[in-house]
Amino acid sequence: MAALTPDDLDQLAAAGISRAEAERQLALLAAPPPPPQLLRPCTVGDGIVRLDADAQAAAVARYQAFCARHGALRFVPASGAASRMFQSLAGWERFAGNPGAAAKDMSRRAIAGDPTAGDAVRFLSELPRFAFAEELAAALAARGGGRLEELRAKGDVGTILHVLLDPAELGYGALPKAAIPFHRYAEGARTALEEQLVEAAPLLADAAGRCRLHFTLPEAHRETLAAAAAAAASRLGSRLGVSFELGDSIQYPATDTLALTPEGEPFRTENGRLLLRPGGHGALVTNLAELAASGADLVFVKNIDNIQPEHAHGETRHWSAVLAGHLLDLRSQAEAHFRTLSVQDDEATRSAAHEFLCRHFALAPAADRATLLERLTRPVRVAGMVLQRGEPGGGPFWVAHGDGTASGQIVERAEAGSDPAAQALFGRSTHFNPVDLVLGFGTFDGGHHDPRKFVEPRAVFIAQKSHQGRPLVALEHPGLWNGAMAGWNTAFVEVPEATFAPVKTVFDLLRPAHQS
């Protein structure tokens, strides 16, 4: 592999990437680490807990008492663009004003088995059901493009999608997903970001009514989105009886990653500079570290698009409180074992601590006092798991480690590699990761954990990508809820499917869970 040049080092330094980090990334790309050693899927009774009604009620009460005194925070990764939502509809804009040509192309594509033809027809048919239909109709009328219903009747999908997606018009194709209207109400449409505020308010408010959320935003839209969030917080806070405290951050350039050419050389752009790519959601562990350092203890993590209309918020809030209360109970038990073992080193005390760890987080069959003490002090996370229904993504698995221990980890199918046995385990998995997490950053002595200390640095994602038509080998940091949290004490709790309603394509907004 070619050495980094002085110009490369200057470029890296300007981005905040050290030479050692760059060389580490290039080494991982050249010799990818082995995939995780999966033992078996976690199931109810074997890594996943199913809490009965009494346990749920106790957990909710425990969380509510904590939150009243200390509050909590929701961390929402919201940097993702909405382009994937509309991906199957992109390209029809070129038929603006020419519905006849669009119809011919639809017919040709349908004969060829291209599903995007059906998507365009379905979009026209179902358009009134989308929460953004009113905004689209107003935009069409303002540009003199005709009434929406007239254009639908003529089949002018090109004009409709041009106004919806083009950056010079509404620009939905380039907006962050957070800014897309998801749900319709009598008072108007509500964006994904606004819906997050409404759902979070009763869950996060402390005794003074303070409700804290932190969004990661795309740098290009940060100022606009932050202003929209502040306006929504002021408007909604009055109705909900809370005072929102909003924070935001970006995915820092220092977390970008390098890439390789198929020949194994550092990938360079046309001007000879290193290509630096966003490092994936695992890069956000830096943002979490900043929140922890600022005093945040109990932090909920929820994706921007997993948000339902207000009528469904009660159940999702209930289960969020259950997860948080369960975390507080586990952390309290861990602290009790730690304090006893710190002053009383005997077989019974070690056995009790070991049994607690094995029952909730998994450990080796035997462990010495120093290992037990270290393990008890680790940060705790509780992750909700829903029944597997074929959604793309990862799930909970027992993973073996090099030191002879095993623990519950969230593993993506892409991490498992091409080994048929590992892939077969995914076929046997019963549960799916909806990214419904609660994290406890507080330490027993009143300090905070730095989450960067619990990352498994070799649990990277390596994939074949392209840049401007040129193939490359890309690297992403260990996923935020995968390798980036590999060292946490993790417990999995079964949550109902009703709490999970992601929006990956625009048609997901037509599911019953998203219709008000």
Side-chain angles (χ1 to χ4, degrees):
M1 181 183 301
L4 295 170
T5 69
D7 286 346
D8 293 339
L9 297 178
D10 289 342
Q11 178 189 352
L12 292 165
I17 303 171
S18 69
R19 177 174 187 163
E21 171 60 16
E23 291 177 342
R24 184 188 74 87
Q25 292 180 20
L26 292 174
L28 286 170
L29 284 162
Q37 185 182 347
L38 307 184
L39 299 176
R40 61 189 183 279
C42 293
T43 57
V44 172
D46 183 26
I48 301 177
V49 175
R50 178 179 289 159
L51 299 176
D52 62 24
D54 290 341
Q56 292 174 41
V60 170
R62 189 179 302 112
Y63 167 68
Q64 290 175 339
F66 176 94
C67 187
R69 295 193 307 272
H70 308 290
L73 182 145
R74 176 175 285 185
F75 179 80
V76 185
S79 302
S83 53
R84 290 185 181 179
M85 282 181 63
F86 300 98
Q87 189 170 15
S88 69
L89 300 173
W92 293 102
E93 307 97 303
R94 71 181 186 275
F95 294 109
N98 195 346
K104 288 181 180 179
D105 197 60
M106 284 183 192
S107 177
R108 179 187 62 79
R109 293 192 192 191
I111 292 172
D114 184 345
T116 61
D119 284 350
V121 172
R122 184 186 179 192
F123 182 75
L124 277 183
S125 173
E126 304 274 24
L127 185 50
R129 296 179 60 199
F130 291 109
F132 52 75
E134 287 78 6
E135 184 179 30
L136 175 58
L140 284 162
R143 72 190 293 274
R147 294 177 61 248
L148 176 59
E149 287 309 305
E150 293 173 350
L151 294 169
R152 289 180 66 226
K154 291 191 295 186
D156 194 352
V157 66
T159 296
I160 291 172
L161 286 174
H162 170 75
V163 173
L164 183 71
L165 302 179
D166 191 270
E169 303 285 348
L170 289 179
Y172 276 26
L175 285 179
K177 196 181 289 188
I180 302 298
F182 268 28
H183 307 133
R184 179 186 283 122
Y185 296 90
E187 65 273 18
R190 196 178 287 168
T191 66
L193 189 149
E194 291 170 332
E195 201 74 271
Q196 288 277 352
L197 299 180
V198 176
E199 187 196 83
L203 174 69
L204 302 179
D206 61 17
R210 182 180 62 158
C211 178
R212 293 178 293 161
L213 294 93
H214 186 99
F215 297 89
T216 64
L217 303 176
E219 189 169 12
H221 296 274
R222 184 180 186 181
E223 186 175 338
T224 302
L225 264 182
S234 176
R235 181 180 74 253
L236 294 169
S238 299
R239 177 170 78 82
L240 299 169
V242 301
S243 174
F244 285 107
E245 292 186 9
L246 305 184
D248 63 83
S249 57
I250 62 170
Q251 188 167 312
Y252 298 114
T255 64
D256 286 354
T257 58
L258 289 87
L260 288 185
T261 67
E263 295 74 32
E265 296 298 317
F267 190 99
R268 299 179 183 278
T269 59
E270 290 181 352
N271 60 9
R273 291 171 62 82
L274 294 170
L275 176 68
L276 298 177
R277 307 176 74 255
H281 55 67
L284 298 180
V285 69
T286 300
N287 306 63
L288 282 176
E290 292 180 347
L291 287 177
S294 72
D297 179 7
L298 212 58
V299 175
F300 296 86
V301 179
K302 185 168 186 175
N303 280 340
I304 186 68
D305 66 345
N306 183 19
I307 190 72
Q308 298 182 55
E310 193 167 349
H311 68 79
H313 289 179
E315 185 164 17
T316 56
R317 282 195 295 261
H318 167 79
W319 281 99
S320 291
V322 168
L323 297 180
H326 189 59
L327 183 150
L328 292 169
D329 181 41
L330 292 177
R331 189 165 67 178
S332 177
Q333 291 186 59
E335 181 176 6
H337 283 291
F338 174 81
R339 298 202 180 283
T340 302
L341 189 58
S342 296
V343 299
Q344 184 176 323
D345 181 19
D346 56 54
E347 185 175 349
T349 305
R350 291 195 301 273
S351 179
H354 184 256
E355 192 275 333
F356 164 77
L357 288 166
C358 288
R359 185 171 71 253
H360 295 290
F361 309 123
L363 197 65
D368 58 31
R369 178 170 179 260
T371 299
L372 291 169
L373 287 170
E374 186 277 327
R375 190 76 190 202
L376 287 165
T377 59
R378 292 190 184 188
V380 177
R381 70 167 170 165
V382 173
M385 292 292 156
V386 298
L387 288 174
Q388 175 64 265
R389 296 297 188 215
E391 296 279 357
F397 288 84
W398 288 110
V399 176
H401 306 297
D403 60 0
T405 65
S407 62
Q409 300 287 335
I410 298 171
V411 182
E412 306 287 333
R413 185 181 287 272
E415 290 182 274
S418 58
D419 177 48
Q423 290 295 328
L425 288 178
F426 276 84
R428 291 168 42 199
S429 63
T430 59
H431 287 72
F432 173 81
N433 167 42
V435 190
D436 193 356
L437 311 175
V438 188
L439 312 176
F441 287 101
T443 60
F444 300 153
D445 61 1
H448 67 274
H449 288 288
D450 183 344
R452 291 169 295 192
K453 295 180 179 179
F454 301 93
V455 175
E456 171 44 69
R458 291 177 59 78
V460 295
F461 291 91
I462 295 177
Q464 306 297 316
K465 301 285 186 179
S466 65
H467 176 75
Q468 297 180 347
R470 296 165 55 200
L472 58 80
V473 183
L475 179 144
E476 289 189 4
H477 295 293
L480 186 60
W481 37 84
N482 311 107
M485 295 182 183
W488 290 59
N489 281 336
T490 296
F492 298 132
V493 175
E494 185 179 62
V495 298
E497 293 176 83
T499 64
F500 181 51
V503 177
K504 302 307 178 188
T505 79
V506 68
F507 298 111
D508 288 332
L509 290 172
L510 300 179
R511 293 183 179 186
H514 287 284
Q515 292 292 302
S516 299

